[in-house]
């Protein structure tokens, strides 16, 4: 772990004020992961969200302690389905009804559920076949319970076989087998596709071809020209490649929610506090503008709230905005 910065009350206040603005203006939330043995209690975490005016949270499974802590908090919630449950939920409608009755109904409406995420980065892969039928069953169960909660799935950009230039964005043949019916289902129900967008990994793996400034939103001019669109940052290019791929399978009117985006502050190539600070601050500033292809505000969730010490060693442990003692990893400020 890199040495912590020295904090003054002013710097802590800056972080609080920035998170207040980013949450209320741009629709940014923060992922709350629990893969650590030294994290604050859920009630303290909810208080930390509230004290910083972060009004959107994503959790990766329906942890009942977290759900209890969220009651009457006015924090909107994205909740995930655990991967071990995908097959039974796909094959048995009663299992989906039981899941909803156990994990959603007892907490609604005092918990403000926004989306249920059926599978995180499982397409393509061994579990991909279960995602769409599980989505259908969960949505039916939610509708039957009288709950106005949308169901989707969250994908990594490994679903794209082509992404450059962005207008050439297309799903891989394997991913398209699963993505096409899902996109059409989302279009029919007015639900968004949830996408994890990480310029950090694209830069790390292609640093000889991608400028750091392009990954960090700091390029002074257009770096990539694609027809009528000019790209100054990699985030927009990645997101527009996803839009282009969706349009090719009937998803022209399907919105995208960025369920994860972040930059590690330690543990690997280009992972340091300076780069993480720059990326997150610029992401905050940028999402209200949208992308060249779709210039409308983007709902996005920073990954993640805390550094989690039980994740794989390296960068995976160092994506947090906060240390487990609730101190900020770095201050954030607007120009």
């Amino acid at each position: 772990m890199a040495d912590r910065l020295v904090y003054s009350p002013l710097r802590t206040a800056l972080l609080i004020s920035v998170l207040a603005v980013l949450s209320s203006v741009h629709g940014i939330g923060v992922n709350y992961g629990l893969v650590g043995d030294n994290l604050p209690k859920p009630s303290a975490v909810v208080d930390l969200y509230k004290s910083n005016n972060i009004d959107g949270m994503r959790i990766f499974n329906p942890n009942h302690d977290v759900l209890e802590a969220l009651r009457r908090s006015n924090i909107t919630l994205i909740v995930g389905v655990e991967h071990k449950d995908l097959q039974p939920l796909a094959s048995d409608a009663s299992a989906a009804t039981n899941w909803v009755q156990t994990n959603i109904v007892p907490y609604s409406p005092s918990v403000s559920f926004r989306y249920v995420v059926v599978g995180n980065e499982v397409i393509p892969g061994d579990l991909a076949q279960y995602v769409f039928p599980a989505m259908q069953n969960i949505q039916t169960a939610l509708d039957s319970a009288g709950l106005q909660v949308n169901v989707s799935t969250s994908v990594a950009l490994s679903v794209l076989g082509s992404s450059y230039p962005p207008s050439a964005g297309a799903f891989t043949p394997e991913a398209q087998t699963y993505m096409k019916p899902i996109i059409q289902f989302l279009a029919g129900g007015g639900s968004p596709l949830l996408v994890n967008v990480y310029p950090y990994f694209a830069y790390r793996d292609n640093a000889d071809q991608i400028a750091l400034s392009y990954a960090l939103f700091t390029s002074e001019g257009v770096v990539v020209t694609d027809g009528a669109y000019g790209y100054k940052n990699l985030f927009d290019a990645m997101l527009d490649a996803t839009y282009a791929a969706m349009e090719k399978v009937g998803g022209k009117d399907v919105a995208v929610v960025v369920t994860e985006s972040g930059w590690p502050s330690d543990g690997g190539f280009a992972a340091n506090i300076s780069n993480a600070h720059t990326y997150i601050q610029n992401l905050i500033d940028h999402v209200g503008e949208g992308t060249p292809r779709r210039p409308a505000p983007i709902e996005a969730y920073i990954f993640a709230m805390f550094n989690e010490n039980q994740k794989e060693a390296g960068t995976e442990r160092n994506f947090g905005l906060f240390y487990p003692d609730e101190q900020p990893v770095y201050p954030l400020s607007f120009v």
Side-chain angles (χ1 to χ4, degrees), residues 41-125:
K41 292 180 179 180
S43 58
V45 174
V46 170
D47 287 342
L48 189 61
Y49 271 73
K50 291 168 66 176
S51 67
N52 287 286
N53 293 306
I54 306 170
D55 59 8
M57 177 188 290
R58 180 192 179 198
I59 57 176
F60 294 87
N61 61 70
N63 182 293
H64 287 197
D65 291 335
V66 176
L67 293 174
E68 284 292 345
L70 282 167
R71 288 188 187 275
R72 293 171 292 279
S73 67
N74 295 319
I75 295 170
T76 60
L77 181 68
I78 299 178
V79 59
V81 172
E82 292 187 90
H83 291 173
K84 66 180 179 59
D85 295 330
L86 290 178
Q87 184 173 359
L89 290 172
S91 58
D92 185 358
S94 65
T97 297
N98 182 64
W99 191 94
V100 169
Q101 291 294 325
T102 300
N103 299 307
I104 306 297
V105 170
Y107 302 98
S108 182
S110 62
V111 175
S112 180
F113 293 98
R114 188 155 177 77
Y115 310 113
V116 172
V117 185
V118 180
N120 182 55
E121 299 187 350
V122 299
I123 300 173

Side-chain angles (χ1 to χ4, degrees), residues 233-311:
N233 66 80
L234 184 54
F235 177 89
D236 280 356
M238 296 171 79
L239 202 48
D240 273 1
T242 307
Y243 287 133
M246 292 166 57
E247 291 167 7
K248 292 177 173 70
V249 295
K252 182 171 68 74
D253 297 322
V254 175
V256 161
V257 170
V258 176
T259 33
E260 295 179 29
S261 192
W263 196 287
S265 60
D266 198 7
F269 177 77
N272 55 62
I273 284 177
S274 177
N275 286 344
H277 175 195
T278 298
Y279 180 80
I280 295 298
Q281 178 178 317
N282 287 332
L283 176 69
I284 291 166
D285 293 341
H286 179 72
V287 292
E289 302 173 11
T291 70
R293 196 176 192 91
R294 294 195 189 180
I298 302 162
E299 181 181 350
Y301 292 76
I302 295 169
F303 189 88
M305 194 66 171
F306 298 104
N307 287 340
E308 298 168 64
N309 69 350
Q310 291 181 319
K311 300 193 90 169

Side-chain angles (χ1 to χ4, degrees), residues 25-226:
V25 175
H26 294 321
I28 284 206
V30 181
N31 286 257
Y32 171 22
L34 290 158
V35 190
D37 62 7
N38 59 351
L39 298 175
K41 292 180 179 180
S43 58
V45 174
V46 170
D47 287 342
L48 189 61
Y49 271 73
K50 291 168 66 176
S51 67
N52 287 286
N53 293 306
I54 306 170
D55 59 8
M57 177 188 290
R58 180 192 179 198
I59 57 176
F60 294 87
N61 61 70
N63 182 293
H64 287 197
D65 291 335
V66 176
L67 293 174
E68 284 292 345
L70 282 167
R71 288 188 187 275
R72 293 171 292 279
S73 67
N74 295 319
I75 295 170
T76 60
L77 181 68
I78 299 178
V79 59
V81 172
E82 292 187 90
H83 291 173
K84 66 180 179 59
D85 295 330
L86 290 178
Q87 184 173 359
L89 290 172
S91 58
D92 185 358
S94 65
T97 297
N98 182 64
W99 191 94
V100 169
Q101 291 294 325
T102 300
N103 299 307
I104 306 297
V105 170
Y107 302 98
S108 182
S110 62
V111 175
S112 180
F113 293 98
R114 188 155 177 77
Y115 310 113
V116 172
V117 185
V118 180
N120 182 55
E121 299 187 350
V122 299
I123 300 173
D126 294 340
L127 296 175
Q129 62 184 308
Y130 305 119
V131 172
F132 182 42
M135 287 174 61
Q136 292 176 300
N137 286 343
I138 290 286
Q139 188 68 72
T140 298
L142 288 165
D143 293 345
S144 297
L147 298 171
Q148 295 182 337
V149 180
N150 286 337
V151 171
S152 189
T153 189
S154 186
V155 298
L157 292 194
S158 55
V159 296
L160 299 182
S162 174
S163 60
Y164 183 86
S167 61
F171 296 119
T172 67
E174 182 184 4
Q176 182 163 312
T177 299
Y178 306 106
M179 293 302 300
K180 185 173 182 179
I182 288 172
I183 294 294
Q184 293 173 351
F185 173 79
L186 297 175
S191 299
L193 179 66
L194 311 180
V195 182
N196 299 338
V197 182
Y198 283 100
Y200 168 73
F201 293 117
Y203 170 70
R204 182 197 68 182
D205 296 341
N206 301 277
D208 58 333
Q209 301 175 37
I210 297 173
L212 180 61
S213 59
Y214 189 55
L216 291 177
F217 297 94
T218 57
S219 296
E220 294 184 359
V222 170
V223 176
V224 172
T225 300
D226 182 16

